[in-house]
Amino acid sequence: MRVLFLTDAKRIGGSEVYLREMLPRLKNLGLSPEAALPLAEGNKPIREALLAQGIPVHAYQALKDLPQPQRFDRVVASAWYPQSYRTFFTRYPRITLLIHDQIEVFYPLGGRYLYRLGYRLLQVPNLRRAEAVITVSRWAARWLREVHGVEKVFAVPNGVDTERFRPPAPGEKEALRTQYGLNRYTVLVPARMSPEKNHLAVLLTARLLPEVDFLLVGTGELEGLWRKTAQVLRLGNVRFLGRREDMPELYRAADTVLLPTLGENQSLATLEAMASALPVVTTPIPAQEELIQNGVTGLLVPPRPHLLAQALNRLQGDGQALGARARARVLGHHTLEGSAEALAAALKEAIRA
């Protein structure tokens, strides 16, 4: 089966990493995947990585540069912007949409319902027009069917590289902590600095725990605001690390991960931390509840700073056991190989349906 994976991404995000990991594995399963990405410097590493693994890549500047639809049994599109789907439909009338984004964000004070309205107006018409929809969590598939009336939805949970994201070997954690200059209990916050990631809760929690260090990894539209807020609050225990390429090592050096997120579909950062046997403190929103069993493989805590601080204090005593069970959960349910097999099965079933 020949499948074209199409995206509008001019830089690298989670959905582009997904393509890099999934397409070679689909090829190993007997499919013939190809990729189409904009000709842009920001996504060049993904294009090169796919080519190096024998995946044909179409770098396009306009729709006319894209291959003809009759060459493929299935066209699968993922987009950063809803309007891109409407453009894709003009070239490929029959498309399966691959949805990674947050279909619901649990903002307070009614903000959740405003987000839902915007999603229904901007995105749901594209989903209903598609031949089928594949999304990366079971709760999202159920939500799209029950709340937004999208009929043909398949759930293919994310996977993670459990060799790259692994627990530290004996002596490795100490060496990494020395390398990064970590000498106190260290909380890692790997999240893009956008509203739904809720960095304000992180900073207010850090204010309650001056004896704990917080490492914030990521960039985004709110980075300047959060840096200024940390200065105003005089948070000497917060470090902004920006975009990093050494995430596996940072996970192995840290003591826990904090993600007080208000919106996820299925969080790769959560899975990476779990695979690294690192305990995660996060919020009890549906996507996180699907990954983490509270008190068994992590802690689900409402995103109020005093509750987050209490949870982090608790983990200083018994976090290791949670981390070990978290890795076992990933090995059983969220490997890249298992995700690729589920994606191949969903593509074949979508054609038959």
Side-chain angles (χ1 to χ4, degrees):
M1 182 169 64
R2 296 189 68 180
V3 185
L4 177 67
F5 287 82
L6 171 64
T7 178
D8 65 348
K10 294 184 178 181
R11 54 191 176 90
I12 299 173
S15 56
E16 289 64 55
V17 173
Y18 183 91
L19 294 182
R20 184 191 67 197
E21 300 293 351
M22 285 293 105
L23 269 55
R25 288 172 170 82
L26 291 178
K27 182 180 178 182
N28 292 338
L29 292 171
L31 278 68
S32 298
E34 300 184 21
L37 298 88
L39 181 61
E41 191 66 26
N43 66 31
K44 186 177 179 181
I46 294 292
R47 290 188 280 116
E48 291 179 341
L50 289 172
L51 287 169
Q53 297 184 77
I55 306 298
V57 175
H58 308 273
Y60 67 91
Q61 292 181 301
L63 285 178
K64 64 180 178 61
D65 302 325
L66 290 168
Q68 294 294 323
Q70 57 266 28
R71 289 181 51 187
F72 303 98
D73 300 296
R74 175 74 43 174
V75 175
V76 180
S78 59
W80 287 31
Y81 307 104
Q83 61 268 27
S84 294
Y85 289 124
R86 293 189 285 274
T87 302
F88 291 160
F89 278 120
T90 65
R91 180 68 168 179
Y92 302 106
R94 301 174 60 189
I95 297 180
T96 293
L97 299 189
L98 178 58
I99 302 299
H100 299 265
D101 57 348
Q102 299 96 344
I103 62 172
E104 184 88 349
V105 178
F106 295 82
Y107 290 127
L109 303 176
R112 167 187 178 182
Y113 300 102
L114 288 175
Y115 184 91
R116 185 185 299 179
L117 176 62
Y119 193 86
R120 178 163 293 180
L121 293 173
L122 296 174
Q123 185 72 303
V124 170
N126 297 317
L127 303 182
R128 291 177 176 171
R129 181 178 177 181
E131 281 196 308
V133 174
I134 296 172
T135 192
V136 292
S137 66
R138 294 180 181 88
W139 89 266
R142 184 175 65 252
W143 195 268
L144 288 174
R145 287 191 294 264
E146 296 176 358
V147 176
H148 292 296
V150 182
E151 294 182 359
K152 197 182 296 184
V153 187
F154 300 89
V156 179
N158 278 330
V160 66
D161 187 339
T162 56
E163 295 183 1
R164 184 167 180 246
F165 296 97
R166 58 168 176 79
E172 184 181 12
K173 189 179 190 73
E174 293 75 14
L176 286 170
R177 289 178 66 83
T178 298
Q179 175 183 327
Y180 290 121
L182 308 179
N183 50 33
R184 303 196 302 175
Y185 193 83
T186 302
V187 176
L188 186 64
V189 185
R192 182 167 48 88
M193 294 190 182
S194 54
E196 75 278 5
K197 301 302 182 181
N198 199 16
H199 283 80
L200 180 60
V202 172
L203 298 179
L204 294 177
T205 301
R207 190 182 187 188
L208 296 174
L209 296 173
E211 72 284 1
V212 174
D213 288 326
F214 290 75
L215 305 181
L216 278 58
V217 176
T219 61
E221 62 270 26
L222 298 182
E223 181 179 0
L225 173 63
W226 299 138
R227 285 181 178 270
K228 183 64 176 178
T229 302
Q231 292 176 357
V232 170
L233 295 177
R234 298 181 180 178
L235 298 178
N237 59 336
V238 172
R239 290 163 55 186
F240 290 84
L241 302 186
R243 185 178 180 88
R244 301 293 291 237
E245 301 297 330
D246 55 347
M247 288 307 301
E249 291 77 17
L250 283 169
Y251 285 122
R252 292 197 286 273
D255 294 298
T256 191
V257 160
L258 174 62
L259 294 168
T261 176
L262 301 175
E264 300 290 340
N265 190 328
Q266 191 164 89
S267 166
L268 283 174
T270 300
L271 287 172
E272 291 167 357
M274 294 173 70
S276 303
L278 204 57
V280 177
V281 176
T282 188
T283 42
I285 60 175
Q288 298 300 76
E289 288 178 329
E290 185 171 306
L291 294 180
I292 289 178
Q293 183 179 356
N294 187 38
V296 179
T297 56
L299 296 179
L300 298 172
V301 182
R304 293 192 284 275
H306 72 283
L307 297 178
L308 296 172
Q310 290 173 10
L312 292 173
N313 278 329
R314 171 183 169 184
L315 287 180
Q316 293 188 49
D318 61 0
Q320 189 171 359
L322 268 67
R325 291 192 292 266
R327 178 167 173 82
R329 173 72 181 176
V330 169
L331 291 173
H333 300 278
H334 292 283
T335 63
L336 287 172
E337 290 71 23
S339 184
E341 290 172 3
L343 179 57
L347 290 170
K348 294 173 184 177
E349 187 176 350
I351 288 178
R352 292 193 298 267

